[in-house]
Amino acid sequence: MTELPPASAKKLGLVIDLDTCVGCQACATNCKEWNAGGHSAPLPDLNPYSAGAEGVWFNRVHSYEAGEGEAGRTVHFPRSCLHCETPACVTVCPTGASYKRAEDGIVLVNADACIGCGLCAWACPYGAREMDEDAGVMKKCTLCVDRIYNETIPEPQRQPACVIACPVSARHFGDLGDPQSAVSQLVASRGGYDLMPELGYNPVNKYLPPRQRPAPNPNPPAEAELATHDIRNPLLRWLDRALSR
């Protein structure tokens, strides 16, 4: 079985804001686009244009209805590898194919060493492992390791593809091992939390909870009625008189 490296001071990861995510799937689409030609390429699609479309996706977005009545809302929940500090997927790997990098905490898979046994997928409680049926190996989110360290890309663009694509800035990337980093400050200010912390895997990625909506005003102010002579457009004045009879 694979041993974990000593805990690293640098912990690269994502912070996902469940309050602003709109479920547009841009993160999943751009992730697929980048990684189909990147570190873990190719990412196969099986029956991509049928009702039973399947394939390898490093990022998936699920939508849930939470609450009832006026308190109800739709919550869009992006799910990918959480790059845990003590990942079970690594410790169960019999070949060392699944490993955690000591320098930044990113969890990766060495496809050359993977035998496709599926033990890592069984051990991962977050469903973050994806079997490439064509290659017979397991694949997963790499945090776009081939992008974030690529010096040929302008520095502002050296972020995971999912973060770059998000139109509402619901995804944030940075060093969660640094308490002064922007992502750590965001987690502290918004009460960010681990997914299923009771399992003890200490995921690096954090989620920001949906904000509480303000209670509706039980006595909303009455809307002021517009007098007919206040309507400047002659056609609208005639129409208002006709409908008011």
Side-chain angles (χ1 to χ4, degrees):
M1 301 300 176
T2 308
E3 294 184 0
L4 294 173
S8 61
K10 189 175 185 179
K11 300 174 184 177
L12 295 182
L14 301 173
V15 175
I16 300 173
D17 193 341
L18 299 181
D19 188 65
T20 56
C21 177
V22 295
C24 66
Q25 306 287 334
C27 57
T29 303
N30 206 39
C31 169
K32 181 84 166 186
E33 175 69 21
W34 175 262
N35 287 289
H39 180 272
S40 297
L43 301 187
D45 282 311
L46 308 177
N47 305 317
Y49 303 109
S50 70
E54 298 178 359
V56 176
W57 294 80
F58 292 167
N59 189 69
R60 297 177 184 269
V61 182
H62 307 278
S63 298
Y64 303 94
E65 295 300 320
E68 297 181 357
E70 293 185 352
R73 65 183 298 169
T74 301
V75 177
H76 304 288
F77 186 83
R79 175 179 60 83
S80 63
C81 176
L82 302 174
H83 300 277
C84 302
E85 293 188 46
T86 55
C89 61
V90 169
T91 56
V92 301
C93 181
T95 67
S98 289
Y99 65 99
K100 185 174 179 66
R101 290 165 40 123
E103 61 268 35
D104 53 22
I106 298 176
V107 178
L108 295 174
V109 178
N110 180 357
D112 293 333
C114 180
I115 58 175
C117 66
L119 284 176
C120 58
W122 288 6
C124 175
Y126 306 113
R129 294 282 172 142
E130 300 270 338
M131 174 62 78
D132 183 339
E133 300 289 351
D134 291 345
V137 298
M138 198 66 69
K139 295 181 177 180
K140 59 175 288 300
C141 163
T142 68
L143 215 56
C144 288
V145 68
D146 54 342
R147 182 184 181 95
I148 61 177
Y149 289 113
N150 190 337
E151 295 184 356
T152 66
I153 297 176
E155 189 170 355
Q157 298 294 315
R158 294 177 203 166
Q159 300 186 65
C162 60
V163 175
I164 291 292
C166 184
V168 294
S169 299
R171 304 175 73 91
H172 308 267
F173 168 69
D175 183 5
L176 286 151
D178 177 6
Q180 301 304 317
S181 69
V183 285
S184 293
Q185 294 291 322
L186 184 59
V187 170
S189 65
R190 287 281 309 281
Y193 60 89
D194 293 349
L195 184 61
M196 294 190 282
E198 67 277 7
L199 299 179
Y201 298 125
N202 303 317
V204 172
N205 287 9
K206 309 298 181 188
Y207 287 92
L208 304 181
R211 296 181 178 90
Q212 293 294 325
R213 292 179 175 177
N217 187 347
N219 300 304
E223 294 184 4
E225 294 185 2
L226 191 63
T228 301
H229 61 268
D230 292 330
I231 302 175
R232 297 182 178 181
N233 189 301
L235 177 61
L236 293 181
R237 283 203 303 271
W238 173 85
L239 184 60
D240 180 74
R241 289 195 299 269
L243 295 177
S244 301
R245 293 176 181 173

